Amino acid sequence: MDKETLQALDFLRIKEMVVDFCTTALGKEKAQRLAPTLEKKSVQEQLLQLGEFLRFEDELPLTGIEDIRETLIRAEAGAVLNPDELLRVYRVCGGLRNCSVFFRRHRNQIVALNYLAEGIEACPELERAIERAVDESGAIRDNATPRLAELRDEIRRRRNKLVEQMEELIQSNLGWFEGPVMVRRERFVLPVKVEYRNQVPGVVHATSASGQTLFIEPMEMISEQNLLQELRDAEAEEVNRI
């Protein structure tokens, strides 16, 4: 192989090593785009930057930094981000904040890296807003808004009361049922033995594989379940608004 080919292969091997050292997907992507240069000034600037990085006693805290470009594009277009997407944005905000703190702590050690330090913009207000709304598991917090807290309290109260009423019905007629209160199609139902179908008037939501059990929503509880569903719909709207 000629000299130019060998140099090209050497550069590719070096670039592969740099890519392997990158700890974020964004860093790996940028490293993949690296190209050799013979411009003396550019080489000197990059060597100065590298030298400053190597003099740091601790590493740049990149935990939480990930590629959220697609998410940001969707948000800018007016899309509603789900809780998992908000958590990703939250983690990036935290990562940016940590990097900003890192460079401030080392501000007396950097000159060539000033451009990088000045380009990091933390988003504390956005970070706090997401933290108030979304918990660590990705669920919207009850206290994200007073309206959501009110709706969820009412949902829990009515759901518990409804289940208690159904459990009382089971306890008063144990021979009619095949088990505890269940859920079918987001409605609470009772597993009624088929021979006692007429003892429990209501809407049949499903039948067991054997055909011996009917999952019935008692007629006297339909209006309460309708109201419960309205509350759930209102909750979903409030979560979507948040």
Side-chain angles (χ1 to χ4, degrees), residues 162 187 202-203 217-227:
L162 185 61
R187 309 280 285 196
V203 177
E217 178 182 354
M219 190 67 68
E220 66 267 28
M221 297 173 186
I222 288 178
S223 61
E224 183 65 23
Q225 296 229 58
N226 288 342
L227 179 55

Side-chain angles (χ1 to χ4, degrees), residues 81-139:
L81 303 186
N82 62 45
D84 286 338
E85 290 173 318
L86 289 174
L87 270 184
R88 293 181 65 203
V89 174
Y90 173 76
R91 288 193 291 267
V92 171
C93 287
L96 291 173
R97 172 172 45 78
N98 291 336
C99 288
S100 179
V101 170
F102 175 89
F103 280 117
R104 286 202 304 272
R105 192 168 65 246
H106 295 89
R107 60 182 175 273
N108 295 327
Q109 297 175 242
I110 60 175
V111 176
L113 291 174
N114 260 330
Y115 82 99
L116 186 60
E118 293 172 356
I120 297 175
E121 184 176 349
C123 308
E125 292 183 5
L126 176 59
E127 187 178 0
R128 287 193 294 269
I130 295 175
E131 187 175 24
R132 285 194 299 269
V134 184
D135 67 19
E136 297 79 4
S137 68

Side-chain angles (χ1 to χ4, degrees), residues 166 188-192 197 200-205 214-218:
M166 288 187 163
F188 290 106
V189 297
L190 296 172
V192 182
R197 166 70 180 85
V200 187
V203 177
V204 178
H205 285 274
L214 303 176
F215 299 96
I216 299 176
E217 178 182 354

Side-chain angles (χ1 to χ4, degrees), residues 44-72:
Q44 289 175 333
E45 288 177 351
Q46 292 181 43
L47 286 174
L48 287 172
Q49 293 165 8
L50 177 60
E52 288 186 357
F53 258 120
L54 293 176
R55 285 194 292 274
F56 292 143
E57 295 180 358
D58 48 344
E59 294 186 1
L60 185 65
L62 295 175
T63 301
I65 302 296
E66 56 183 302
D67 188 355
I68 58 170
R69 286 174 293 183
E70 289 297 325
T71 299
L72 296 180

Side-chain angles (χ1 to χ4, degrees), residues 140-153 234-236 238-239 242:
I140 299 296
R141 298 182 190 274
D142 287 359
N143 60 354
T145 66
R147 173 63 173 162
L148 184 61
E150 178 185 338
L151 285 168
R152 287 186 171 173
D153 283 344
E235 177 198 15
E238 181 65 6
V239 166
I242 293 169

